[in-house]
Amino acid sequence: MTFPTATSTTSPAPTTSSPAPTTPAPRVVHRPDLQGLRGVAVLLVVAFHVWTEKVSGGVDVFFVLSAYLLTGSFLRRIETGRALAVPAYWARTFARLIGPVAVMLLAFLGAMLAFFPPSRWNELLTQAWGSLFYVVNWVLAGQAVDYYAGNSAATTPLQHMWSLSVQGQVFLIWPLLLAVTAAAARRSGLRFRPVAWGVFGAVFADSLAWSVLATAGTPEAAYFSTFARLWEFALGSMAALVLTTTGAPRALPRHRGALAQVTGVALGWVGLAAILTTPFLTDPETRFPGTVALAPTAGAAAILLGGALAPDARAGATRLLAARPLQWFGDRAYGIYLWHWPLLITYLLLSTRDTVPVPVGLGILVASVALTRVTALLLAGWRALPGVRADSGVRLIATALLVAVPLTGAHQYTLLRDPAAGVERTPQNYPGAAVLRGEVTEVPDVPIIPIDADREHEWGDTGAPCSPGDTPGQLDGRGDCWVIEPEDGTAPERTVVVIGDSHAQQLLTPVHRTADAQGWKVISYLRMACRYTAESEHPDEQCNEFNAAARDAALATDPDAILTIGTLSLAEAPHEELVEGYEAGVRPFLDAGIPVVAFRDNPRFDHDMFECVETYGPHHDRCNPPRAESLLPVNPLEEVAARHEDLHSIDLTDRLCTETTCPGVVGNIMVYRDLDHVTSTYGETLAPDVEARLMRALGWDG
């Protein structure tokens, strides 16, 4: 957040064309309520970052205030004929802003090397570079960072820098926009303010429309988008056009003055209420900015107008906002904002907690204030150095280099220490489940695979889509059909049908390897989030329709066996249950004399196991939850299978868990791609177990 001096004028003036250059600069009236509003905004940001997963709206308030002050400053220059000196403005502004950012980034770099796992370093260094050059919002959008995922140890400690990047970009664009608008007004013979109203009104309307559409369609990317935020700055600029004076304010008639007082008081309180209630009237699913951000931004604009109409009203919100405690926090808002988020994420990382106790949260606030003071002292010494204090441009470049040099060194270090260089993906380096089979006792020290960039490719190996002629008509639009056939074109020895959801899909990697080895044909009918079972109330109607269609298609195929997932793992106790209606669901196959294999589901956790390993490392207790808290002690399918001769249960738990834990990494391979899906890479190493157990269960091994 940028926090220029909270100054403004108190009442609007008649619009005039630009006077002669000799016109004196107007007197700027101090607005202490704006500094208090900053205090309110930063306290909202910290409170809702630390203790909730909600968006507070405080950042949106800062956007409005920043544009209001920037536009007001340039407006006074334009209408008094003074030079805009845009390059000098850029140098002064960014030299002032980059100092605290530089101190924070250097501290972050030390914390990253000391506490964060090396697997995250490249990503974090990229974000640090983006923060230094005020483009990290686009970096986060490109890395598909989900702002709405909330605060956790897996969250980047530089995520909060997105807003500073947006403001930095606006601080580059806005002076140019104002200068072009002023030039256009002069050339057309029009007064500046009407032209500026047209420009900022268009920016407001276009950006808001884009924000609404983008937030509805791609909310994660829209949150970080500069284009989806420009309307908030435009609103602040329009407020400046209303309230900034360049001439002597005119006295209002008594009756109009009284009306202005009442209106100002009402606007102030309504605006403050809109800001304070925004986070309480939303939930973690609410998407910003969109139309929701109109509440805090319009609230900020209302306070700006209310304070101008009734600056001294005893009953006004300006009195509250001018209170010393809020002023105190407003003076330190920039530093508090910079420091609170890295402190929060580092605490969550080191404590392995998902929540922050109230005393710790207050401690983060206190530490943020203390680091703000330390930052000020360090920068005072830095600015006093010969050469650095010469001018704003030199200070800006010197400060940027102060950060760029160690960032470059850290990046080179990560390249030099990259243990992945030259490591082949061989069974010796990546034994996976072979460790739990007892075939491997010593696992080499090589990088863990797959990496985060590969996660989207870690679903099961389904084979090829069924040809249109082979896709059952009743399945059309309800699910997907996939086929695996002998690669040499020979007639398959057997045909197996797999039915189910994403857990059935992940099973297809070892099933595919088994089919290749045995010369089988495998047909898969899959629908995500739809476990195969009989018709019931719990799956949605589309799932019931898919299951019925897949059942009919499988019966028509008359396969040698049906493969399904028969249990459902749960993140909470009792941790596992039979799929509701499962026995009734497979009965049509059993009645037709088709053997059914029911695989036991893999564990499901209450946190992302991939991110756990990335964040804490493979040996952390959090990434190795107890087996007793992952599945039931006894496979619930055993009792069901005992009632049917052709129903067979296969349990792979001993290839996913040890006797005591269910690790996130086995044999240098990530077992899970998220909180409940086995990676395809690990599935490859399960192929010998799946092949042997399938052949034995179906009696095809002899």
Side-chain angles (χ1 to χ4, degrees), residues 235-293:
L235 181 61
S237 292
M238 290 189 290
L241 292 175
V242 172
L243 300 177
T244 301
T245 61
T246 54
R250 294 179 299 177
L252 293 173
R254 179 170 298 181
H255 67 281
R256 291 184 60 192
L259 178 61
Q261 286 278 315
V262 173
T263 303
V265 169
L267 282 172
W269 285 116
V270 169
L272 185 58
I275 293 169
L276 293 176
T277 57
T278 294
F280 294 100
L281 297 180
T282 61
D283 57 51
E285 301 303 316
T286 303
R287 296 306 186 232
F288 266 69
T291 55
V292 183

Side-chain angles (χ1 to χ4, degrees), residues 80-146:
T80 57
R82 290 180 292 157
L84 296 185
V86 172
Y89 166 81
W90 286 335
R92 282 195 315 273
T93 299
F94 285 100
R96 175 170 52 85
L97 298 178
I98 201 173
V101 171
V103 176
M104 187 276 293
L105 286 177
L106 290 173
F108 153 78
L109 184 58
M112 183 198 79
L113 296 173
F115 305 127
F116 286 79
S119 59
R120 299 185 65 186
W121 287 0
N122 280 332
E123 175 190 27
L124 293 177
L125 286 172
T126 300
Q127 294 168 5
W129 281 111
S131 299
L132 181 63
F133 291 106
Y134 291 88
V135 293
V136 78
N137 60 314
W138 299 114
V139 172
L140 294 172
Q143 292 177 342
V145 171
D146 183 3

Side-chain angles (χ1 to χ4, degrees), residues 1 3 35 38-47 49-50 62 100 104 160-161 164 325-344 361-376:
M1 238 30 55
F3 304 91
Q35 200 70 347
R38 281 194 185 81
V40 170
V42 78
L43 290 175
L44 282 174
V45 168
V46 173
H49 275 172
V50 170
F62 288 129
M104 187 276 293
H160 69 313
M161 294 296 292
L164 292 180
L326 292 180
Q327 295 283 305
W328 191 87
F329 279 107
D331 292 341
R332 294 156 180 79
Y334 186 29
I336 292 172
Y337 183 86
L338 275 178
W339 286 106
H340 85 284
W341 185 260
L343 289 173
L344 169 63
L362 293 174
I364 289 173
L365 177 59
V366 171
S368 300
V369 172
L371 286 170
T372 299
R373 177 58 179 163
V374 171
T375 300

Side-chain angles (χ1 to χ4, degrees), residues 290-632:
T291 55
V292 183
L294 281 167
T297 52
I303 289 174
L304 288 171
L305 182 56
L309 290 173
D312 301 317
R314 292 186 178 182
T318 53
R319 279 294 182 103
L320 174 63
L321 293 173
R324 284 189 177 182
L326 292 180
Q327 295 283 305
W328 191 87
F329 279 107
D331 292 341
R332 294 156 180 79
Y334 186 29
I336 292 172
Y337 183 86
L338 275 178
W339 286 106
H340 85 284
W341 185 260
L343 289 173
L344 169 63
I345 301 306
T346 304
Y347 165 76
L348 293 172
L349 174 75
L350 297 179
S351 67
T352 68
R353 296 180 62 99
D354 295 320
T355 58
V356 180
V358 172
V360 174
L362 293 174
I364 289 173
L365 177 59
V366 171
S368 300
V369 172
L371 286 170
T372 299
R373 177 58 179 163
V374 171
T375 300
L377 294 174
L378 290 173
L379 291 176
W382 169 248
R383 286 191 291 265
L385 294 177
V388 175
R389 64 187 177 189
D391 60 43
S392 299
V394 172
R395 188 162 65 251
L396 172 61
I397 294 172
T399 306
L401 288 174
L402 185 68
V403 179
V405 170
L407 281 182
T408 302
H411 182 70
Q412 291 301 314
Y413 171 67
T414 60
L415 294 177
L416 292 174
R417 67 160 299 280
D418 184 5
V423 177
E424 297 183 21
R425 292 198 175 191
T426 62
Q428 291 73 33
N429 288 328
Y430 298 101
V435 173
L436 297 180
R437 286 195 294 271
E439 299 171 359
V440 174
T441 56
E442 293 187 11
V443 179
D445 183 16
V446 296
I448 296 169
I449 59 170
I451 61 175
D452 185 65
D454 300 329
R455 268 215 273 184
E456 282 307 308
H457 307 291
E458 286 297 320
W459 298 100
D461 186 357
T462 57
C466 297
S467 64
D470 292 336
T471 301
Q474 64 268 42
L475 200 68
D476 187 33
R478 294 187 172 92
D480 298 317
C481 178
W482 303 87
V483 63
I484 298 166
E485 297 185 275
E487 293 182 355
D488 59 7
T490 59
E493 294 290 330
R494 301 182 188 276
T495 298
V496 173
V497 170
V498 177
I499 308 176
D501 56 5
S502 57
H503 284 229
Q505 179 176 333
Q506 71 187 16
L507 185 64
L508 282 170
T509 296
V511 168
H512 194 156
R513 303 302 166 262
T514 301
D516 289 343
Q518 297 294 329
W520 297 350
K521 178 179 181 178
V522 179
I523 303 172
S524 306
Y525 304 131
L526 303 174
R527 179 184 174 89
M528 299 305 97
C530 181
R531 189 80 33 114
Y532 177 75
T533 185
E535 183 174 355
S536 64
E537 296 180 358
H538 285 91
D540 58 37
E541 187 58 33
Q542 290 77 16
C543 181
N544 281 325
E545 291 176 359
F546 164 78
N547 281 333
R551 182 165 53 248
D552 293 344
L555 288 170
T557 302
D558 190 24
D560 295 286
I562 302 286
L563 309 187
T564 63
I565 306 293
T567 63
L568 179 67
S569 57
L570 306 168
E572 306 294 338
H575 304 298
E576 184 180 20
E577 63 185 18
L578 279 169
V579 174
E580 181 181 358
Y582 179 77
E583 191 170 4
V586 299
R587 192 178 301 277
F589 304 127
L590 300 176
D591 291 344
I594 303 173
V596 175
V597 177
F599 280 83
R600 188 183 191 182
D601 202 2
N602 58 267
R604 183 186 306 259
F605 309 97
D606 62 1
H607 58 277
D608 189 313
M609 287 288 278
F610 194 101
E611 289 184 354
C612 182
V613 174
E614 286 262 290
T615 304
Y616 300 113
H619 305 298
H620 197 281
D621 289 345
R622 183 177 174 84
C623 311
N624 294 269
R627 177 170 173 167
E629 297 177 6
S630 302
L631 294 170
L632 292 172

